[in-house]
Amino acid sequence: AQLPAMIPAPAPANGTLVEAGDLLKTVRKLQLQPDRPMDYLSNLTCTDYQDCYEVVYHFDSTHKPGPATLLKVRTPKTNPAVPSLMSLFPGADLQEREVWDLFGVRFDGHPNLKRILMWEGFEGHPMRKDYLEPYYEAPGKLFPSRWKEGHHQRAEDRARFGDNVTYPAGFDPARWEEPSANDLGRTPVTSKSLEKLKTDTLVINLGPQHPSTHGVFRMQVRVDGERIVALEPVMGYMHRNHEKIAERNTWLMIFPYTDRLDYICSMGNNLGYAIAVEKLLGVKPPERAEYIRVIMAELTRVVNHFWATGFLLNDLGAFFTPALYAIEERELILDLFEMAAGSRMMCNYMRFGGVAADLPEEFLPLCNSLVNDRLPKAIEQMDRYLTHNEILVNRCRNVGVLPRDAAIAYSAAGPVLRASGVEYDVRKAEPYSIYDRFDFKIPTLPDGDVYARYRIRIAEMWESLKILKQALKELPGGEILAGKKLWNIRVPAGEAYGRVENPKGELGYYIVSDGTDHPYRYHVRAPSFINLTALEQMCKGHLIADVVAILGSIDIVLGETDR
């Protein structure tokens, strides 16, 4: 089969290239900079080049936010390894495991380096350029016919990797028997422990088939009675290697795939990807397109926070609340998306240099009515009914506390970070589009608990309405796309990191172009994925019932967690 074309690692045009042995010392120096201490690990990923693997780090400062600082480490193709950053940034945990899983780069010093999106025993590392899927045809689309001369073969019959499982030596799956109950993580009960009436610890699983896990997600929990002693998030059940698919698609064909990451926030996903590619293209959208983009992004924030609040209440047992307070307002906003994009959830609306279509005549009257009349009343009603509700307050206050320093160290983003008192928002830290023109605040609260995360989302909806009122009032006429519509483009060689403040936090796209019609490297910094890094920290010492509320307060979507 024809292998993907590989390029040697280019001279570092952006960022600083450091030796693996100097990585920890260099990062520590960045953390201690007096003028702008780099205390926030924004993104960590890897690129497979012809002559090495290049591990890429983006850092920012919560004290003095600005453009991300880029560090790179290169390691040989044979036995690739770099030091783990876990001792300096616990937020590197899941991201380093992802790089190990998909690229096979080992992180020395990581305390739990095992696969995270694929299963243990999976054959190979699928983001490597020489990894060919079982039904591989060509390195890029459009593919040759899959049914040459009318003769079809099932993909399963052509799989080179069999069932993709490597069993331990001497293990026969046909003879395996389920262990007895005493072997499933249970501490043996002794007469001495019975005398003290102490419970034993037990490992239980919440999910992956459970409504409280917000999708196919598993929490492996060790409990002492009802108290959480340890917790590990287990994901990957819905992984379809979004990044591998994108690297075989043309640049334009990737837009619909971004819709399916966080499928509540399609417009925001489109925007982040468009901004990343526009950095390499050197394209600036027309004024009207910029305003339309902001309108769509802020409507998306309102949609997400209504939905997140409704599901949090559902997790707390208020089964009818989502229908009463969330779904109806969301559907009215989706009507607007359908008017503009032709689709309600998978919008595929943004384009490089603008948007796909102008707003229809009926859009602005309805949007103005919603923003100025209906949505303020809906948010005020939700706030009045819920914020001082005795049951909600008792279930959420002082539960799942994430202190300020821990939130930064764990690379938390969005409402999770701001509810811990950190005034960090990409719209202000590194303004994109035309956000620097609008008057809005970054709500923060110091408590860092489930209740604070709920209140931050209510406050952010009010700020989104402020932005929407300004954008609708100032919306200019004119073109909606820089240049003409193109079905295919070639992006100049180079690399870029484009990021936006999506409703769940920083959504980043790291892209590398080799000058062809598809990305050489495409990586998604998914806030749902990284925000789960601190889940155990939030849950320890709480009850099983609290874990459901804590997970709901993080607000994850498995489409972007697993990608």
Side-chain angles (χ1 to χ4, degrees), residues 276-544:
V277 178
E278 284 166 1
K279 286 186 175 185
L280 290 182
L281 289 172
V283 170
K284 179 169 175 53
E287 285 285 292
R288 181 172 177 82
E290 291 280 31
Y291 275 89
I292 293 174
R293 285 179 167 191
V294 168
I295 290 168
M296 297 304 181
E298 294 309 314
L299 287 172
T300 298
R301 200 175 315 278
V302 175
V303 163
N304 183 88
H305 289 350
F306 265 121
W307 206 235
T309 303
F311 271 111
L312 172 62
L313 292 160
N314 192 38
D315 291 334
L316 295 173
F319 291 108
F320 295 105
T321 308
L324 291 174
Y325 297 116
I327 293 176
E328 190 169 4
E329 311 308 324
R330 173 179 181 254
E331 289 300 312
L332 293 172
I333 294 175
L334 295 190
D335 287 344
L336 295 174
F337 291 168
E338 188 175 12
M339 287 180 194
S343 181
R344 301 178 70 78
M345 287 181 63
M346 310 301 171
C347 297
N348 187 21
Y349 184 59
M350 307 294 176
R351 293 293 181 271
F352 306 129
V355 294
D358 208 342
L359 304 176
E361 284 184 19
E362 59 268 33
F363 183 96
L364 289 176
L366 179 56
C367 190
N368 272 296
S369 175
L370 277 175
V371 169
N372 291 291
D373 300 322
R374 175 152 185 148
L375 289 177
K377 292 176 184 176
I379 298 170
E380 192 275 332
Q381 184 182 51
M382 177 180 278
D383 192 3
R384 185 172 71 250
Y385 286 169
L386 300 179
T387 300
H388 302 292
N389 179 286
E390 184 179 356
I391 298 173
L392 184 140
V393 172
N394 288 338
R395 286 292 309 275
C396 298
R397 185 168 280 168
N398 298 321
V399 173
V401 175
L402 187 65
R404 175 191 170 90
D405 290 345
I408 296 169
Y410 279 99
S411 298
V416 177
L417 182 64
R418 292 187 283 276
S420 296
V422 183
E423 191 175 323
Y424 185 89
D425 185 310
V426 179
R427 293 172 295 175
K428 296 278 191 181
E430 189 178 353
Y432 53 91
S433 187
I434 52 171
Y435 274 104
D436 54 355
R437 302 183 188 180
F438 300 113
D439 176 29
F440 68 99
K441 296 178 181 177
I442 306 174
T444 62
L445 286 170
D447 307 312
D449 56 9
V450 172
Y451 188 61
R453 292 190 274 277
Y454 152 74
R455 289 177 58 202
I456 284 293
R457 292 186 174 96
I458 296 292
E460 287 190 2
M461 284 196 281
W462 287 117
E463 295 303 313
S464 288
L465 290 188
K466 283 170 59 176
I467 295 172
L468 283 164
K469 289 175 182 178
Q470 296 170 70
L472 288 167
K473 185 178 180 181
E474 300 167 10
L475 177 65
E479 298 295 323
I480 58 160
L481 193 65
K484 58 183 180 179
K485 284 187 178 180
L486 298 173
W487 296 110
N488 199 1
I489 59 170
R490 288 181 178 268
V491 174
E495 63 179 312
Y497 181 57
R499 55 181 184 155
V500 295
E501 186 63 42
N502 243 30
K504 294 175 175 63
E506 178 179 327
L507 172 68
Y509 291 87
Y510 175 71
I511 57 171
V512 177
S513 173
D514 58 357
T516 62
D517 61 356
H518 59 276
Y520 183 82
R521 176 73 178 108
Y522 166 95
H523 169 68
V524 181
R525 187 261 190 226
S528 291
F529 175 71
I530 297 176
N531 281 345
L532 286 169
T533 312
L535 181 60
E536 182 184 48
Q537 169 87 3
M538 295 186 209
C539 291
K540 277 185 177 179
H542 288 298
L543 302 174
I544 292 175

Side-chain angles (χ1 to χ4, degrees), residues 113 222 422 500 563:
L113 193 62
R222 181 178 288 276
V422 183
V500 295
R563 282 153 291 143

Side-chain angles (χ1 to χ4, degrees), residues 31 35-39 60-65 404 408 422 424:
Q31 283 184 313
D35 55 333
R36 191 177 174 226
M38 294 291 168
D39 59 347
D60 203 347
S61 171
T62 60
H63 302 272
K64 193 176 179 181
R404 175 191 170 90
I408 296 169
V422 183
Y424 185 89

Side-chain angles (χ1 to χ4, degrees), residues 163-182:
D163 55 10
N164 260 349
V165 175
T166 302
Y167 294 111
F171 177 78
D172 184 357
R175 297 184 179 181
W176 179 81
E177 294 182 2
E178 185 173 352
S180 64
N182 286 334

Side-chain angles (χ1 to χ4, degrees), residues 161-200:
F161 307 115
D163 55 10
N164 260 349
V165 175
T166 302
Y167 294 111
F171 177 78
D172 184 357
R175 297 184 179 181
W176 179 81
E177 294 182 2
E178 185 173 352
S180 64
N182 286 334
D183 295 329
L184 293 177
R186 189 189 297 270
T187 303
V189 180
T190 63
S191 58
K192 188 174 183 180
S193 64
L194 284 173
E195 288 171 8
K196 294 182 179 180
L197 296 177
K198 285 187 176 179
T199 57
D200 58 338

